[in-house]
Amino acid sequence: MIHGGTNFGFTSGANYNKDFDIQPDLTSYDYDAPISESGWATPKYNALREIFQKINQTTLPEVPKPPKVITIPAIEFTKINSLFDLIDKKKPVTNDQPLTFEDLNIGNGYVIYRRQFDNDQKGLLNIKGLRDYANIYVNGVWKGEMNRINKKYDIEIDLKTGDRLDIVVENMGRINYGAEIVHNLKGIIEPIRINGNIISGNWQMFSLPFDQFPKHTYQKKILLIVFRLFRKQNLNWKKPEILFWICGNLVKGLSLSTVKISGDTGAW
């Protein structure tokens, strides 16, 4: 590989091995390439260039200067809401069993699986068919997470009559090599069980592919419980400069930010 690069949006892919059912790839990668992800010539590039120059009778062109690296002021997010606010007026798909992303005709992003219970249920909530990461909420209150990375497919749950269970599932990237490349359905691909009993009937599914920023009535507010959030902030500049944007899972239940930077570069 001559040039490191970026897997844009949700296209990073994933690996796996005997210890981890999935190993999501970073969207950013260099692969120790001679030209870095940001387009800079590395010492490896310069060493290769010296070799090529020795066997080339003409003088090689000058190496372009790297773009300027900039810093920007602190950003205040102006629009914030939880995913549950977003689906308030969204019509769900209803089925006896949870449907996969593919059944719902989406490739990436999130699906909220929702069910209201007409009797008490207490015990081990098991989602062996989770693909790939889930946050569990009862009546909007966060109860825990499941994660295919470390093979965590169950949590203890206590549901009362009338309680609403929400399972927010994230596709963390499709495995793109080896025997598992053909087993790439996403979402929930097997029945959900509590204490070994299949939970059937009245499953609602809300698709959130995030192929574009959601149209919604946003508001400034403080959330006192753990929610999946989406935030919006506009950035715009015209110069061909480089900004390194570092995001992370700083709070349990929050996902890595997806950032679009508008301007002449059209960079993401």
Side-chain angles (χ1 to χ4, degrees):
M1 180 173 292
I2 187 66
H3 191 342
T6 301
N7 294 302
F8 298 115
F10 292 105
T11 64
S12 58
N15 300 323
Y16 73 99
N17 61 25
K18 62 181 179 61
D19 296 318
F20 303 96
D21 286 349
I22 192 170
Q23 297 169 299
D25 291 336
L26 297 174
T27 57
S28 171
Y29 65 92
D30 262 352
Y31 278 95
D32 195 28
I35 302 174
S36 73
E37 180 181 6
S38 52
W40 299 340
T42 66
K44 179 185 286 187
Y45 176 91
N46 293 329
L48 289 171
R49 191 174 188 278
E50 289 180 9
I51 296 173
F52 295 150
Q53 183 62 78
K54 289 178 181 178
I55 61 177
N56 198 312
Q57 296 180 354
T58 59
T59 301
L60 297 177
E62 291 297 316
V63 179
K65 293 182 179 180
K68 179 184 177 182
V69 177
I70 66 168
T71 59
I72 59 176
I75 295 173
E76 177 185 358
F77 287 98
T78 57
K79 298 178 179 180
I80 181 170
N81 276 101
S82 80
L83 292 186
F84 298 144
D85 293 325
L86 181 62
I87 66 171
D88 274 347
K89 297 180 181 180
K90 188 178 178 69
K91 184 178 179 180
V93 175
T94 303
N95 196 59
D96 282 344
Q97 293 296 331
L99 299 173
T100 67
F101 277 39
E102 291 72 23
D103 290 329
L104 297 167
N105 198 32
I106 70 167
N108 302 300
Y110 304 82
V111 171
I112 297 178
Y113 295 85
R114 172 172 288 180
R115 189 179 191 275
Q116 191 158 4
F117 284 76
D118 54 11
N119 52 44
D120 293 0
Q121 295 274 358
K122 183 177 181 179
L124 193 67
L125 173 66
N126 182 282
I127 312 178
K128 181 61 178 175
L130 174 65
R131 302 294 185 270
D132 298 295
Y133 177 81
N135 279 285
I136 313 300
Y137 301 84
V138 175
N139 300 327
V141 178
W142 185 79
K143 297 298 181 180
E145 65 179 4
M146 299 185 194
N147 196 333
R148 190 181 173 200
I149 294 175
N150 52 20
K151 304 183 182 182
K152 179 179 171 61
Y153 293 109
D154 52 49
I155 66 167
E156 291 291 332
I157 200 80
D158 187 359
L159 297 163
K160 305 300 182 184
T161 300
D163 280 354
R164 188 189 75 211
L165 173 67
D166 285 308
I167 305 168
V168 183
V169 175
E170 177 182 353
N171 166 9
M172 300 184 77
R174 284 182 165 79
I175 293 170
N176 49 23
Y177 86 104
E180 290 299 311
I181 198 171
V182 296
H183 302 139
N184 261 318
L185 296 178
K186 292 297 180 177
I188 296 177
I189 68 171
E190 296 178 15
I192 294 173
R193 299 172 184 267
I194 297 180
N195 289 335
N197 299 314
I198 294 176
I199 306 301
S200 297
N202 300 317
W203 281 104
Q204 295 181 325
M205 282 135 287
F206 299 85
S207 300
L208 298 166
F210 284 110
D211 48 355
Q212 58 185 359
F213 202 87
K215 295 179 180 179
H216 186 61
T217 302
Y218 302 92
Q219 55 186 299
K220 288 188 177 181
K221 64 179 181 179
I222 298 174
L223 299 174
L224 300 179
I225 56 179
V226 177
F227 273 123
R228 283 266 172 180
L229 306 177
F230 54 97
R231 302 182 175 96
K232 185 175 183 180
Q233 171 65 38
N234 296 320
L235 301 177
N236 197 324
W237 67 85
K238 299 298 183 182
K239 297 179 181 179
E241 299 167 328
I242 289 179
L243 168 69
F244 290 98
W245 186 285
I246 301 175
C247 307
N249 286 334
L250 301 181
V251 181
K252 180 175 288 190
L254 303 185
S255 65
L256 184 70
S257 298
T258 300
V259 180
K260 180 180 179 180
I261 300 171
S262 59
D264 290 344
T265 59
W268 283 74

